[in-house]
Each structure stands twice: as C-alpha cells, then as structure tokens.
Amino acid sequence: TNLFTQHGYRDSVIFGHAKDGNIHFLLNETFDQNKYVDRYVAFTEDLVDMILAAGGTLKAEHGTGRIMAPFVRRQYGDELYEVMLEVKRACDPGSVLNPGVLLNADPAAHIIDLKSTPTVEVEVDRCVECGYCEPVCPSKDLTLTPRQRIVLRREMVRAESDNDVDLLAELQQDFEYEGIQTCAADGMCQTACPVLIDTGMLVKRLRAQRHGKLEQGLWTQAAKHWGITAKTGAAALTVAGKVPSPAVIAPNTLARKVLGNERIPLWSRDLPSGGSARTARNSPSPEAVYFPSCIGSLFGAADPNSSAGTGPALLELCERAGIALNVPADIQKLCCGTPWKSKGLGPGYEVMRAKVLPVLWESSRYGQLPVVCDAASCSEGLIELINTGPQEYRRLEIVDAIGFVDQHLMSTLKVVNKLGSLALHPTCSSTRIGTNQAMNRLASAIADEVVIPDGWGCCAFAGDRGLLHPELTASATEAEALSVSTRSFSAYASTNRTCEIGLTRATGRPYRHLLELVNEATRPAATTNSVYHPRSKET
C-alpha cells in the first residue's frame, strides 16, 4: 500500500492467500499517456526491489508471465537463469511455445502490448480476470462465463472509445443472448470470486435497462395483484396438463415467436399441474411465522398421489413435533420478490417489498419470531428483500425450512422408514445462505447413503429461466445428470421446487423436496401410506 501511495495509485484492488503467503493486486492504470507508462515502470521496479530484498519470489499463481519475465534473471541469478534457457532450448528448440513468456531478454518486455482494464460498471470493475468464477457458472458450457461477460463489457467500452461502430454493434447484438439472457444470475460466481463479485447483479441491471414502460407496468400490476396472478398461472398449468399437447404447444410456440422467448415461457408435457392456494393459519402460541413460497402454489407436487407438497410436509412435521406455526393473512398475495429482482423489474419489486415487510413485521411480533420459508431461493429472496429495505425491518430473521427442521424438530422426531440411498442436489441458494450442512444432516438422518453427484452445480432453472431458455438448464445439468444416471437411488431430493423440476427433466428421475422425504421417513407406520392435507385455520 505504501507503493500505491508513493506512485499515486488510488482504488487499487488487493487480495491473496494468507496461508500461501502471496498476494495479487490490480492497478487502475490507463496507459493512454507516456507518463502513465513511466509510472507503471517505476512502480514495477520498486516492487521487484522490495520483494527480492525481503527474500520473496516474484512468481505466485498467475498473471506473472510477461510482466515478470524481465526480472527472472535478477531473482534467480545468472547461473540458474542459463539453466532455464538451456532447458527451454532442449524442449522447444524452435521457440514456438509461448515465446517471450517467462523467459525474455528484453528489459522492456513487460510494457509491450499492454492490456488495459477500462472502467465499465461498478459491479465488476474489481475483476482481475483470474477465472475462479468459471467452474461454478451454469452457463459456462453453453454461452459465457462471468469472466467472459466482464471481458466483453470491457471490449465494448474499448470499441466505443475507438469509435469502432461495427465491432460495437456486433458485440452488443451477441451479448444480448450470450451475456444477458443466458445468465442464471444465481450469484454462484460470487462464492468463488476472491473479491466477491456477483456478475448477476450487473446482468440484472442490464435487464432493467431493456424493459419498456409497458412491460414494467404489467409486472407492477402483477405485483399489486399477485394472488390472482399466481392463481391464474397455476390454473393454466393444470388445464394445459389435461388437454392434448398440440392444443398447448402450437399457441405457445406462436406466442414465443411473436412476443419473444424472454417474455413467454416454453410449456412442455413434463411440467406439473398447478399447486394449491396458500392459506392463513393462526395459533395463540406460535413459535415461528411460516411464509410458504408461491412456487409451491404455482407448481404442484411431483406426485400428488403420494405427497401434497413441501408446505403440507413441513406443517405435518411441526404438528408431530408440537411446534405451532402462524401463516400471515393474505399470504396468497405475497412473494419474496425474486421474480421481479432477477428480471430487473424495479417498480414491481418495490411494490412487493412494500406489501411483504409490514406483514412479516407484524406477524413476527416485530421481529421476535423467526420467519420460516420452505424454498431455498425464496429464503434468499426474503433475506435480500429485508437487507436492501428500510432499516426498521432489519430485525426480521429469515430461516430456511431446512435449517429450521434440522435445528428445532429432528431431536423430537424418530426415523422409522429409512431410505437405502439418496441422491442430493444442493442449490445455488442453499449454498449462498449456508444451509448445505443442515441439508446433509437431514439427508444422513433419513438415508443410509447420501450422495452429492459428481458434476453438481447450479441447475440454472433460476425461477423461470429454465422455462424461458430450457437449453440453459440442459447444459448446466448435463454433468450431474450423467453422474446420477450411472446408478439407481432410493430417492432424489433438492430444496427448491423449480430445481426439482429441472433435475427431474435432466435425469428422468423423480426429484422431490427433502422435507417431503423427511416427513415420510419420520411418519408413524400407521399413516405411512396416507397423504397429509393440513386443515387451514383462517385468521
């Protein structure tokens, strides 16, 4: 940091690995004037002197090839440097393998063909293009990775500054699908990024810029009348499942062609029927507030003959454990806000926030009771809704149902119907909110063998992304599906209804919410084959 100050570098990024004793950094330099190149040369000389004087090494993990090549001889001395050159000549006599990288006699090699990093967006300007985000990105095998999205945004800025109109237009056209439409915006890139960049935040903002007043208005009205909207969607799924496929596919295909794939979901026969409406519950002595997700009311259970879905499973578990839950009045009108947030629909998101937070605040007795949600993505959505909202609601505590059952119920429940094996799919949201360990404990309690398949990753269903662009989910789940298909399991589970749909579609195996399986495994033998439908108690 003293060198940054001495040479006039501001807002530089520093990160590293303490256990390995190395650091990485990014200089905010333009190189558009000779004085800035000279500053960079002087900084590098001082940096090299400082590191070598301390007995350190100039080479860490990456990004030190051409930049440090002129200083390799200084670090290792003439004798070792000549050995390196001899090895290079023996292995690559024609010098065709990365010529000039690592070994270069030119003292100015580090300032030739400099790559500048233009400022583009506040969400991603800290990116050093290390690529750690790429393995966890669900779109990596279909279109772009987060690093590539950021690189392309920087190339657009360069093209604009160079007045290269044709290149800019080409990049913008390709980026619409490759960069924006096929980003799951799941935040998994942030879990792997050394400086915690969430490229999805950038994508959400770019999506917001593309919405016109009409689209924003329609989604705002949907937020105001969410009960009717969700009920209509569930009814449409139920009707579609009962009529001949051509009667649905033909108008659906036409609508997508006319209105666009980003606006109209793609229906297919493997989608479930609509779910049941959410209803209020009122107990005189509740231990928590239950916020059933609207995903469960929109999409019905995977197998209605054996399960009524996640919500009824959680309520039955709580009833057997002697824990009372309240469900807020008018719950059918409420949502965690994720559908609006992920699409960049700001006005509708604010409408939903204004509806949800006061209800949660009052029903939780002003933050005294935890709020339990039964879908990982909705739990994350509620947390974000609170954290980005008014300060007065920050005392609200959101607990995912997986963590709630693990912490408060399992000690009083007895497993009587243990599974032989269970294939478990953690979700991007369960990873981000930290419930994977609780998920593993629940799974291990009800199954002799729990397997998280090789190739596991975000399924990229991402709410409706898997319906708008099913090719994204197909690509994201390909490796995991291949792993799952190598053997049979007694059951298959996840913690989010849309993820279950995406994994079922990818693998051909019946994925269900883990709490449904926990409920069946702990249900007394006399009721094992029955389907539990809790009676609602209206407020």
Side-chain angles (χ1 to χ4, degrees):
T1 56
N2 289 338
L3 287 181
F4 290 156
T5 302
Q6 177 183 337
H7 291 278
Y9 285 114
R10 300 179 59 187
D11 302 321
S12 296
V13 177
I14 307 174
F15 63 98
H17 314 280
K19 69 181 180 65
D20 299 320
N22 65 43
I23 64 169
H24 310 298
F25 60 88
L26 176 65
L27 300 177
N28 293 316
E29 188 62 275
T30 61
F31 298 115
D32 58 351
Q33 298 181 40
N34 288 335
K35 65 178 182 179
Y36 296 132
V37 177
D38 293 340
R39 176 171 68 169
Y40 173 70
V41 170
F43 170 85
T44 304
E45 287 288 341
D46 288 348
L47 176 71
V48 169
D49 288 343
M50 180 186 71
I51 292 173
L52 296 183
T57 177
L58 304 177
K59 317 295 282 184
E61 297 169 334
H62 50 77
T64 59
R66 297 182 187 277
I67 291 177
M68 287 293 114
F71 308 101
V72 176
R73 182 186 290 271
R74 188 186 305 183
Q75 175 172 342
Y76 292 100
D78 292 339
E79 184 177 357
L80 280 179
Y81 190 74
E82 290 301 325
V83 171
M84 295 178 191
L85 291 177
E86 196 63 33
V87 171
K88 171 68 172 175
R89 284 191 289 265
C91 297
D92 181 22
S95 190
V96 296
L97 302 177
N98 275 349
V101 177
L102 297 181
L103 302 175
N104 195 320
D106 186 352
H110 60 310
I111 57 172
I112 296 174
D113 296 326
L114 286 169
K115 176 184 177 182
S116 62
T117 305
T119 298
V120 286
E121 280 104 4
V122 64
E123 297 93 341
V124 299
D125 278 338
R126 292 171 298 151
C127 177
V128 297
E129 302 177 18
C130 67
Y132 284 147
C133 58
E134 296 189 312
V136 299
C137 178
S139 63
K140 64 181 182 295
D141 296 323
L142 178 68
T143 50
L144 301 174
T145 66
R147 181 185 67 84
Q148 291 168 332
R149 286 183 171 90
I150 295 170
V151 168
L152 283 175
R153 292 296 295 174
R154 289 170 174 169
E155 289 303 314
M156 290 180 197
V157 171
R158 287 193 184 94
E160 187 173 17
S161 64
D162 294 342
N163 200 29
D164 193 336
V165 178
D166 291 339
L167 176 59
L168 179 61
E170 182 180 356
L171 290 174
Q172 289 175 334
Q173 180 178 353
D174 291 345
F175 195 78
E176 179 65 29
Y177 175 78
E178 305 258 339
I180 298 177
Q181 293 186 20
T182 54
C183 175
D186 58 356
M188 284 297 286
C189 49
Q190 188 179 52
T191 67
C193 177
V195 292
L196 303 179
I197 294 173
D198 181 359
T199 312
M201 296 299 293
L202 166 63
V203 171
K204 291 172 186 177
R205 184 166 60 78
L206 295 177
R207 287 173 181 168
Q209 295 173 359
R210 284 155 174 75
H211 296 310
K213 290 184 178 180
L214 176 60
E215 191 167 7
Q216 289 280 12
L218 290 174
W219 275 93
T220 300
Q221 289 302 311
K224 291 179 179 179
H225 307 285
W226 187 240
I228 297 173
T229 303
K231 185 177 181 180
T232 302
L237 282 171
T238 298
V239 171
K242 293 180 178 180
V243 301
S245 295
V248 181
I249 293 175
N252 180 232
T253 302
L254 179 61
R256 281 171 62 85
K257 185 176 181 180
V258 173
L259 299 176
N261 294 346
E262 273 291 285
R263 294 184 175 90
I264 306 298
L266 179 65
W267 181 86
S268 61
R269 179 58 67 183
D270 61 356
L271 290 175
S273 296
S276 301
R278 298 171 290 171
T279 55
R281 294 170 67 89
N282 187 29
S283 169
S285 302
E287 296 186 39
V289 175
Y290 175 34
F291 189 97
S293 71
C294 49
I295 293 177
S297 65
L298 182 61
F299 297 107
D303 183 2
N305 295 321
S306 63
S307 172
T310 310
L314 175 61
L315 292 173
E316 183 179 349
L317 284 166
C318 288
E319 187 175 296
R320 292 207 310 270
I323 292 180
L325 300 177
N326 273 359
V327 178
D330 291 333
I331 182 63
Q332 71 276 7
K333 300 178 183 179
L334 306 179
C335 175
C336 69
T338 299
W340 293 267
K341 186 73 171 181
S342 65
K343 292 177 177 293
L345 297 159
Y349 186 72
E350 293 305 323
V351 166
M352 189 55 71
R353 191 206 303 275
K355 291 170 60 176
V356 171
L357 293 187
V359 170
L360 292 185
W361 185 243
E362 184 175 353
S363 59
S364 68
R365 298 178 180 175
Y366 313 107
Q368 295 182 42
L369 299 177
V371 178
V372 180
C373 186
D374 58 14
S377 64
C378 301
S379 298
E380 183 183 10
L382 287 173
I383 292 171
E384 187 173 8
L385 198 72
I386 293 168
N387 289 341
T388 58
Q391 188 70 33
E392 61 186 295
Y393 298 115
R394 298 291 171 86
R395 291 212 315 269
L396 283 167
E397 179 189 6
I398 305 300
V399 180
D400 187 71
I402 290 293
F404 185 77
V405 171
D406 173 61
Q407 184 176 356
H408 299 286
L409 274 67
M410 287 306 291
S411 60
T412 63
L413 298 172
K414 182 180 179 180
V415 176
V416 295
N417 306 296
K418 202 164 190 179
L419 296 166
S421 59
L422 174 62
L424 187 63
H425 173 80
T427 71
C428 52
S429 291
S430 67
T431 300
R432 286 172 57 81
I433 64 178
T435 57
N436 284 350
Q437 289 186 354
M439 186 193 317
N440 286 331
R441 284 193 294 269
L442 288 183
S444 298
I446 66 169
D448 293 322
E449 179 190 15
V450 177
V451 175
I452 297 178
D454 293 336
W456 166 81
C458 171
C459 72
F461 210 93
D464 64 355
R465 195 64 26 188
L467 298 176
L468 297 171
H469 298 286
E471 71 277 12
L472 176 59
T473 296
S475 176
T477 55
E478 184 176 5
E480 185 173 359
L482 181 63
S483 178
V484 169
S485 66
T486 59
R487 57 168 291 190
S488 295
F489 293 87
S490 304
Y492 305 82
S494 186
T495 61
N496 212 71
R497 188 70 189 96
T498 52
C499 297
E500 296 154 28
I501 295 172
L503 268 294
T504 297
R505 177 179 288 178
T507 65
R509 312 297 171 87
Y511 274 78
R512 300 167 63 194
H513 197 288
L514 180 59
L515 291 187
E516 295 182 57
L517 301 178
V518 171
N519 184 41
E520 293 170 6
T522 58
R523 183 184 287 160
T527 59
T528 296
N529 296 322
S530 65
V531 177
Y532 177 76
H533 293 276
R535 288 175 292 178
S536 65
K537 300 177 182 179
E538 297 291 345
T539 303

